[in-house]
Amino acid sequence: MATLGELERTVMDMLWETGEAVTANMLRDKLAQSPEGPQAHKELAVTTVLTVLSRLEKKGLVDRERDTRPHRYQAVTSREDHTAELMHQVLGSAPDREAVLARFLGTVSDGEAATLRKLLGRN
Amino acid sequence: MIWASYALAALAIVLAWPAPILLSRARWPARSPFTAMILWQAIALAGGLSMIGAMLIWGLDPLSDTLPGGLRALSAIVFGNGPAGALGVWHVFALSAALLLGTHLVFTLLLTYARIRRQRRRHRDLLTLLSSPSPEAGGTVVINHPAPVAYCLPGGARSVTVLSDGLVDLLEPAELDAVLLHEQTHLTQRHHLLLWAFAAWRAALPWLPTSRLAQHAVNELIEMLADDEALKSVEKPTLIHAIAIVASGPPGATDPGQDGPAGADPGQYRAADGAAGDGAMAPSARVHRLLTPQPPLPHSGRTAVVAGSAALLALPTALLMIPGLFIW
């Protein structure tokens, strides 16, 4: 049985792949057919899929269309946008960033990079 | 108590301005970063304590000769409708300022904590979706991005070290180990708690030289500590090489290979320099420190600094608590 974290990941991957709003039932069927884990996902109940979806909704990763029945779900934004958001937090100049996460190396200026390239050449 | 309040005010001024400037220019912290870290914490704590304490006991002076007595008399005035005739306008002003500053410091600390935690949670949520566990090391994930980055995201048992595959591609296994050891030191030594406290200190009093210098110094000192710890397990040239490679970025900074990720240009953040210099230690300074190592402070020197730090904390505490210390 896959953990919730892994399921969230699989569900998001499917939503990103599909690119359109789908119901929990459709997702469950897709999960059951998915090549990477027919065993892991075959027995999945729709309620489990709904739990995963509402967790993702709470995290602001999934939008729910409430005017249809059953509700349809889709990814808030693309995988690439999320990667960009992540990298912006890591590499951008947000205040408190160093307190949020500690990077191996701070922002490097051009001059600094040139100095170090020279040093690297000598090594 | 009036003399004690003047002494506290003098201490507050020394700790807010000349002391941090001198310490930030000193060279010995690079030799014994751990000892320097203790001193910075003492300066911040004693500074805050003496600032608030000076105003508090100056304001309480007409009421009593001791701090507890003064506080009792004050609560009788505030809550018991006692006669407040002894307090002048300036005394009330000083007491209000002490209360405001104390509340301000505590609230900023809590707000900063909440903000950091929210950002970390969001970051972790996204990581769950976008990264895959590293085959090489536990507690480490790899994220798909061409820029060579490594960082750690603290969070108790869920702390995680993140590497980009750009970095994994660039580094030899031993260099990767150096990076991982460096990052894991941040986590095991709980540097995020220090960064949180000093970020809050700066957010609360941004105009004070001490809060800016202290945050900068602490950012540098944790890098030194992490480098020193990594050097216990990897060769020095390996670590230096890793720093230099990460700093100089991928070989072709305009790598067209990736057609995907929006904003994946590894060079795009390079331009934001200077002002964006967020206090993290300049790589060349770090490499320089590794290339020309200075012996650590002698034992006596470190003992003196630690004793001085303790005295720094004891002084305002004694001025506040021991009545008549300054009656001569």
Side-chain angles (χ1 to χ4, degrees):
Chain A
M1 198 63 195
T3 65
L4 273 177
E6 287 166 24
L7 276 175
E8 282 177 20
R9 212 184 132 100
T10 317
V11 165
M12 276 316 286
D13 282 342
M14 285 194 161
L15 289 174
W16 278 326
E17 204 180 296
T18 319
E20 56 186 29
V22 292
T23 66
N25 267 315
M26 292 156 81
L27 271 176
R28 202 246 342 237
D29 295 345
K30 268 173 126 7
L31 282 166
Q33 292 160 13
S34 70
E36 66 249 38
Q39 290 88 357
H41 304 310
K42 206 194 293 180
E43 308 292 329
L44 226 51
V46 180
T47 49
T48 313
V49 178
L50 282 168
T51 308
V52 171
L53 283 169
S54 72
R55 277 170 62 104
L56 289 168
E57 190 189 7
K58 226 178 268 169
K59 291 180 183 177
L61 300 164
V62 158
D63 263 339
R64 186 203 302 224
E65 286 175 18
R66 288 165 186 277
D67 44 0
T68 59
R69 283 233 172 242
H71 291 165
R72 286 169 175 270
Y73 299 83
Q74 67 176 329
V76 168
T77 179
S78 68
R79 189 188 180 93
E80 289 70 32
D81 283 351
H82 280 314
T83 307
E85 180 190 339
L86 212 57
M87 280 302 128
H88 188 73
Q89 229 186 5
V90 179
L91 299 170
S93 51
D96 288 353
R97 193 258 327 283
E98 290 299 329
V100 173
L101 48 89
R103 288 183 302 171
F104 179 62
L105 210 62
T107 315
V108 185
S109 70
D110 279 335
E112 189 84 21
T115 312
L116 284 159
R117 258 195 297 273
K118 242 180 267 162
L119 191 115
L120 191 62
R122 258 188 282 132
N123 261 16
Chain B
M1 280 216 303
I2 201 82
W3 287 107
S5 78
Y6 293 154
L8 281 168
L11 183 62
I13 291 169
V14 169
L15 292 179
W17 186 60
I21 288 179
L22 283 178
L23 180 53
S24 70
R25 287 184 189 157
R27 285 168 182 272
W28 67 263
R31 296 165 59 190
S32 294
F34 186 79
T35 315
M37 191 72 95
I38 292 175
L39 185 54
W40 274 113
Q41 292 177 73
I43 287 178
L45 276 172
L49 195 61
S50 48
M51 260 186 257
I52 297 172
M55 294 190 287
L56 186 65
I57 62 174
W58 192 83
L60 290 175
D61 181 56
L63 296 179
S64 167
D65 284 338
T66 64
L67 181 65
L71 288 174
R72 261 197 307 278
L74 183 66
S75 77
I77 292 171
V78 175
F79 301 108
N81 270 333
L87 287 179
V89 173
W90 288 108
H91 296 117
V92 175
F93 183 78
L95 289 173
S96 310
L99 181 70
L100 273 177
L101 181 57
T103 320
H104 177 61
L105 290 180
V106 172
F107 265 87
T108 311
L109 194 66
L110 294 177
L111 281 178
T112 308
Y113 177 69
R115 194 169 60 236
I116 289 173
R117 234 177 71 129
R118 198 171 53 240
Q119 289 184 33
R120 281 198 195 128
R121 190 185 307 133
R122 172 76 181 167
H123 201 98
R124 192 171 295 112
D125 285 347
L126 291 176
L127 270 183
T128 314
L129 303 176
L130 300 169
S131 66
S132 38
S134 158
E136 283 109 37
T140 307
V141 298
V142 178
I143 178 166
N144 190 321
H145 200 274
V149 288
Y151 61 93
C152 60
L153 190 68
R158 287 175 306 167
S159 298
V160 66
T161 305
V162 185
L163 308 173
S164 69
D165 36 9
L167 180 93
V168 178
D169 289 347
L170 278 175
L171 297 185
E172 300 291 326
E175 293 161 356
L176 210 52
D177 276 347
V179 173
L180 284 172
L181 283 165
H182 176 102
E183 290 304 316
Q184 272 147 18
T185 306
H186 285 319
L187 292 175
T188 50
Q189 297 189 356
R190 299 183 195 284
H191 291 161
H192 52 281
L193 298 180
L194 289 166
L195 292 172
W196 160 50
F198 281 93
W201 180 234
R202 175 153 189 203
L205 305 167
W207 34 266
L208 214 58
T210 184
S211 69
R212 184 174 47 84
L213 293 170
Q215 192 190 23
H216 190 85
V218 168
N219 277 342
E220 292 198 344
L221 291 172
I222 61 160
E223 297 307 330
M224 298 177 194
L225 286 169
D227 278 348
D228 290 351
E229 189 65 28
L231 285 184
K232 290 179 185 168
S233 312
V234 297
E235 298 293 323
K236 190 175 280 180
T238 310
L239 178 61
I240 294 175
H241 214 241
I243 295 174
I245 288 179
V246 176
S248 48
T254 49
D255 174 24
Q258 293 273 338
D259 54 352
D265 171 13
Q268 72 163 336
Y269 295 100
R270 179 74 47 75
D273 103 77
D278 36 34
M281 194 172 178
S284 59
R286 231 165 102 187
V287 170
H288 182 76
R289 174 173 179 269
L290 294 171
L291 285 174
T292 52
Q294 306 286 323
L297 278 190
H299 187 70
S300 58
R302 276 177 288 158
T303 311
V305 174
V306 173
S309 305
L312 217 46
L313 283 173
L315 184 59
T317 313
L319 284 171
L320 281 169
M321 290 305 167
I322 304 173
L325 191 68
F326 258 82
I327 294 175
W328 44 54

